[in-house]
Structure formats: C-alpha cells, structure tokens
Amino acid sequence: MRNDVGATIVLAEDESDLRAVYAECLRRSGYTVWEAADGAEATAMVHAHKPDLLLLDLWMPILNGLEVLEQIRGDRGAVGLKVVMLTHQRDADTRLEGFALGASAYWTKDISLLELSSKIESLLDSPQT
C-alpha cells in the first residue's frame, strides 16, 4: 500500500521496539513520521510539525494519551488533527473517554501492520468530522 499524498504522522509510543516497527511500516506506506517516546514529546511534536494524524498510545510516561489528547484538543493549532488511540486497553470506559476527548478512532495493538496502514489511509481520506 502506498500513500502518495505526503501525509504526516506523529507516532507516540513509549515501547521503542514497537515504535520502530510501526514507524517503519508507516514510512514504507509513504508517510512522513515523527516519533515520540512520551506524552510531553508527542504534544511538542504536534505543535511543531502540525501533522495530519497523531497515532497515540494510551499509557506513556510524563503525560498519558488521554492527557495529551485533552491538551491538543484545547489548542487552536491542532484543529482538524485526526487522532487515533492505539493501545492494549480494551475496556469500554477508556474508549468512551477517548472519544469524549476528541479521538477520531480507537484501535487495539493486536492490529496487523497491513490493517494499520489501510485504516490510516482510509481515515486520512475521510472528511474531518
């Protein structure tokens, strides 16, 4: 799968091995990817790079994914940013909290790399709600 639009993604994942795998997959799909290892770094990268999408782990050091989401949704510079919560957490309450804070999607980490790339492409092609 190839993305020729040149979309940009901030990938926030504290597990370095998993972050490397996701980043490589996304780069091979044609995306520009900036990698963040914690919530504070993710927030700074969103402000600095104005990406099209934030792929956001829920449990990270410094700021967790929900705290990051709350901060960026309060920032006018991040209007239109699509945010995907990507986590091992499966409970409905956490998912609902993510959506209430403005997440565009909520996917679990058992997703295949092919499905991840395909879903991101579809999400980026869809109009902002």
Side-chain angles (χ1 to χ4, degrees), residues 51-56 65-66 69 72-73 78-86 94-107 119-120 122-129:
D52 299 299
L53 184 133
L54 170 59
L55 194 57
L56 183 61
L66 296 173
L69 187 54
I72 63 171
R73 287 304 187 214
V79 171
L81 174 66
K82 294 183 180 184
V83 179
V84 173
M85 302 297 295
L86 186 63
T94 304
R95 187 173 336 171
L96 290 172
E97 187 174 2
F99 285 129
L101 290 170
S104 308
Y106 190 104
W107 304 331
K119 284 181 131 182
I120 286 173
S122 294
L123 185 62
L124 287 172
D125 285 344
S126 69
Q128 182 65 33
T129 55

Side-chain angles (χ1 to χ4, degrees), residues 45-129:
M45 286 186 177
V46 166
H47 293 326
H49 299 294
K50 309 285 189 248
D52 299 299
L53 184 133
L54 170 59
L55 194 57
L56 183 61
D57 184 20
L58 183 58
W59 300 116
M60 293 184 296
I62 304 178
L63 296 172
N64 70 41
L66 296 173
E67 292 167 330
V68 170
L69 187 54
E70 190 170 23
Q71 282 190 9
I72 63 171
R73 287 304 187 214
D75 178 6
R76 288 190 209 206
V79 171
L81 174 66
K82 294 183 180 184
V83 179
V84 173
M85 302 297 295
L86 186 63
T87 181
H88 291 293
Q89 195 78 26
R90 294 180 176 273
D91 70 278
D93 289 341
T94 304
R95 187 173 336 171
L96 290 172
E97 187 174 2
F99 285 129
L101 290 170
S104 308
Y106 190 104
W107 304 331
T108 56
K109 289 184 180 178
D110 58 356
I111 191 170
S112 73
L113 294 177
L114 182 59
E115 185 180 9
L116 175 70
S117 183
S118 177
K119 284 181 131 182
I120 286 173
E121 184 177 333
S122 294
L123 185 62
L124 287 172
D125 285 344
S126 69
Q128 182 65 33
T129 55

Side-chain angles (χ1 to χ4, degrees), residues 13-49:
E13 170 60 61
D14 63 319
E15 295 177 45
S16 60
D17 291 344
L18 192 52
R19 186 175 62 247
V21 169
Y22 288 152
E24 179 64 19
C25 169
L26 295 170
R27 287 184 179 112
R28 285 183 181 208
S29 295
Y31 299 105
T32 298
V33 179
W34 294 284
E35 299 177 46
D38 62 57
E41 194 173 53
T43 302
M45 286 186 177
V46 166
H47 293 326
H49 299 294

